[in-house]
Structure formats: structure tokens, C-alpha cells
Amino acid sequence: MRLGSARSAVDVLRPQHAGNRHAHRVQCAVDGRAIWFESDDLPLEPALVAFGSALLVPALHSGRILRMEGPCCMQWAANMQVLTEEFRKLWYRGHPRPCIVPERLESLTQRRRSGTLLCFSGGVDAFHTLLRGGHRVDTLVYVVGYDVKLRERTRARAVMALARDVASEVGCGRCVIRTNLRRHRLVRSTPWLHSFGGALAAGAHLLPSHGDRLLLSSDGLGFEHPEVGSRASTDHLFGSASVAVDHVSPSVTRIEKIRAIAGERIVQRHLRVCWRNVGALANCGRCEKCVRTMLTLDACGMLGRYEGFGCGRGLQEAI
């Protein structure tokens, strides 16, 4: 297969293991700078498709081609061509075809284990998928470096403890992954709202020996917002021959989700919705997302049970 020209391509070199006795790390040179993922919980696979999934939208946004060194799953590569067309219609009509050019395609699958992974941050959407989605969940996956920055160590420890406690209470496994993906200039210059779907899918491609299915929770809008990069019509295309990706409950609104889970004690103890990441509590109780969640919980008669929102104290002032 003919590769793109050096001037128009982002070179994605073959990922390598780079672990030490403290963590399992895989890393890949992209545009001459390393992107890495690491975990203390489970070994990670140096899967080229993981990096390709995370970098597809940033490459489209920059108007460049991903030139990938090493073998790629044939099914994944075919999916990327379809996905490229979908994103071109949404945001990047002027981008050249194709977006991703693998060095070599393979039809062989990686070593896999039957199991379901769920991207879990402790929010309404993830809790609804876990408790009401109708799927058995084997492992909760949370990535530090996405919504919580690597430098926010205190908050990262709190979210990691949340994932650990919830996994223990529901009787499933958990895996926390850390990454510097969002620090890379290619990703940093791309709207995260466009690219986060592929970034979430990357986590599953790093764990093919621990699960063959990834659940991504819908955003609770009840419809596909044109600016959101994780959607029912596209998320499944981030899958490969080894890992399927499913978008869960796309037509269920966040109000409906809150009503369905508000009475669950595990949600009352652990719900985390805040995007501001300030203060000692999991939720600031002042930002738009916190306030509308509090309002719905109050309408359900449950807000007083949520310590993470100060049991509703100060809601009038926040409004």
C-alpha cells in the first residue's frame, strides 16, 4: 500500500512496551513525540489500533494523514475508512482521502478473552449503564489524563478510589489507565468534544486479553448532537476483529437516567458529575452540570441523600 507523502503525514511508529516494576506502560512516537498509556492494574497491549483510534479525529482536524508503522487489523482499517467519511460529513469536508494509511494489514485477531469493559467515571451516564443498561459488566475502566489531568494528583486519587469502591460493591474488576495523550500537540489543538470517542475506545484496544467488548455510555441528550464525537452512529466503527464497541442507551435522556438510578445507595455515595474539578468535594455544586443534576435529584425527592452535593445545601443560591 502506497504511503502518504512525508509532508502531509503524521508518522505513528510501532508501539512498544516500556514498563517498569511500578507500572505496565506502552508508548508510541507520534510526530516525533511519545504518547504513552500505563496501568498499575493490568498489563497493556502495544496495540497500534489503540493509538490510531485516539488520533483519527486529531489527524482529520489538522488536515493530515496518519501514516502507521506496523500491522493493523484489517477490519479496524476498513472501519476507519467508513468513520472518516462520517466525520468528514460532520466537520471535515475538505480533508483528503484516506485519513489512515497502515503499513500492513492483517486479518489475524489478537489474543482475546470474553468479557465486557465499561468506561466509568462515576457520572450519571456510566452509572445508568452499569445499573440499568442491561449488560453484565466485568471490568470498569477509568483513564486519568482525560477529564482529570495528570497533574491533578489529589483529584485523580479520589476518582481512582471511587472506581475501586464501586467495582468492589458491584463485584467486578477495575482498571485505571494513565496517559499523556491530551498533552500531545496534535490532540491539544483538537476540540476534545470531537475526539474523545476515539480516545475512550483506545482503552479497550489496550486490553484485548481482558475483554472483547467495550460499552460507551450515551451523553443523555436523547439525540445525536452534531458536535459530539461519541455517538451511536459512529462509536461501533472504532471496533476491531478483537474488540467490539457499543454505544449504550442513545435515546434515554439524562433526566430519565437520573430518575432511574436516584434511589440507588451506591449512586448516592459515589455520584460525580462536576466538570470544574475544584474544591474538596467530588462536585462543586455551582457549575451548570452540578446545578441541573441537583435540580433533577431534588425533583425526585432524593437530593438530601447525596453527600457529594452537600445534601442540597445552597441549591437556591447556586440557581
Side-chain angles (χ1 to χ4, degrees), residues 23-241:
H24 308 282
R25 175 182 285 203
V26 295
Q27 67 181 37
C28 175
V30 178
D31 253 0
R33 300 183 64 179
I35 293 176
W36 51 261
F37 295 84
E38 67 178 21
S39 176
D40 300 326
D41 299 322
L42 295 172
L44 305 179
E45 298 281 346
L48 188 58
V49 297
F51 293 87
S53 296
L55 295 170
L56 171 66
V57 172
L60 284 165
H61 190 77
S62 69
R64 301 167 70 191
I65 295 169
L66 286 179
R67 182 167 57 187
M68 304 178 69
E69 178 188 84
C72 281
C73 167
M74 187 178 297
Q75 180 178 321
W76 177 85
N79 284 349
M80 289 302 102
Q81 300 305 324
V82 178
L83 196 51
T84 296
E85 292 306 307
E86 291 297 316
F87 287 144
R88 287 181 79 253
K89 293 174 188 175
L90 284 170
W91 310 313
Y92 304 116
R93 293 185 180 276
H95 193 281
R97 299 182 179 91
C99 179
I100 290 181
V101 183
E103 178 183 8
R104 187 172 74 257
L105 297 177
E106 290 186 347
S107 59
L108 298 176
T109 63
Q110 294 172 295
R111 180 169 52 92
R112 59 192 293 175
R113 171 193 169 193
S114 178
T116 299
L117 312 171
L118 169 62
C119 285
F120 187 84
S121 61
V124 169
D125 302 317
F127 263 122
H128 185 269
T129 298
L130 178 64
L131 302 175
R132 298 287 187 270
H135 305 278
R136 189 194 76 182
V137 174
D138 299 294
T139 305
L140 305 181
V141 179
Y142 178 71
V143 182
V144 178
Y146 286 176
D147 65 327
V148 174
K149 297 179 176 62
L150 286 173
R151 68 171 181 268
E152 296 172 334
R153 297 182 180 180
T154 300
R155 185 162 295 275
R157 283 194 295 269
V159 182
M160 290 163 61
L162 182 156
R164 180 193 63 230
D165 293 345
V166 171
S168 177
E169 290 182 44
V170 301
C172 69
R174 63 109 191 194
C175 179
V176 174
I177 298 172
R178 296 179 295 275
T179 182
N180 70 340
L181 175 71
R182 291 194 69 179
R183 291 179 174 178
H184 194 279
R185 57 193 173 198
L186 186 67
V187 180
R188 199 169 61 240
S189 63
T190 305
W192 183 244
L193 195 62
H194 288 181
S195 63
F196 77 95
L200 293 176
H205 291 301
L206 296 169
L207 296 165
S209 58
H210 302 283
D212 61 352
R213 185 184 187 202
L214 174 69
L215 303 180
L216 296 182
S217 304
S218 67
D219 55 18
L221 295 176
F223 64 95
E224 291 199 327
H225 193 288
E227 292 301 312
V228 176
S230 174
R231 48 210 294 128
S233 60
T234 56
D235 276 353
H236 67 284
L237 293 169
F238 283 111
S240 68

Side-chain angles (χ1 to χ4, degrees), residues 240-254:
S240 68
S242 297
V243 177
V245 179
D246 292 337
H247 186 93
V248 182
S249 303
S251 62
V252 182
T253 67
R254 186 167 285 116

Side-chain angles (χ1 to χ4, degrees), residues 243-269:
V243 177
V245 179
D246 292 337
H247 186 93
V248 182
S249 303
S251 62
V252 182
T253 67
R254 186 167 285 116
I255 290 177
E256 292 171 326
K257 291 181 178 181
I258 292 174
R259 287 173 177 164
I261 64 176
E264 297 285 350
R265 188 70 186 110
I266 189 174
V267 182
Q268 294 167 6
R269 287 196 299 271

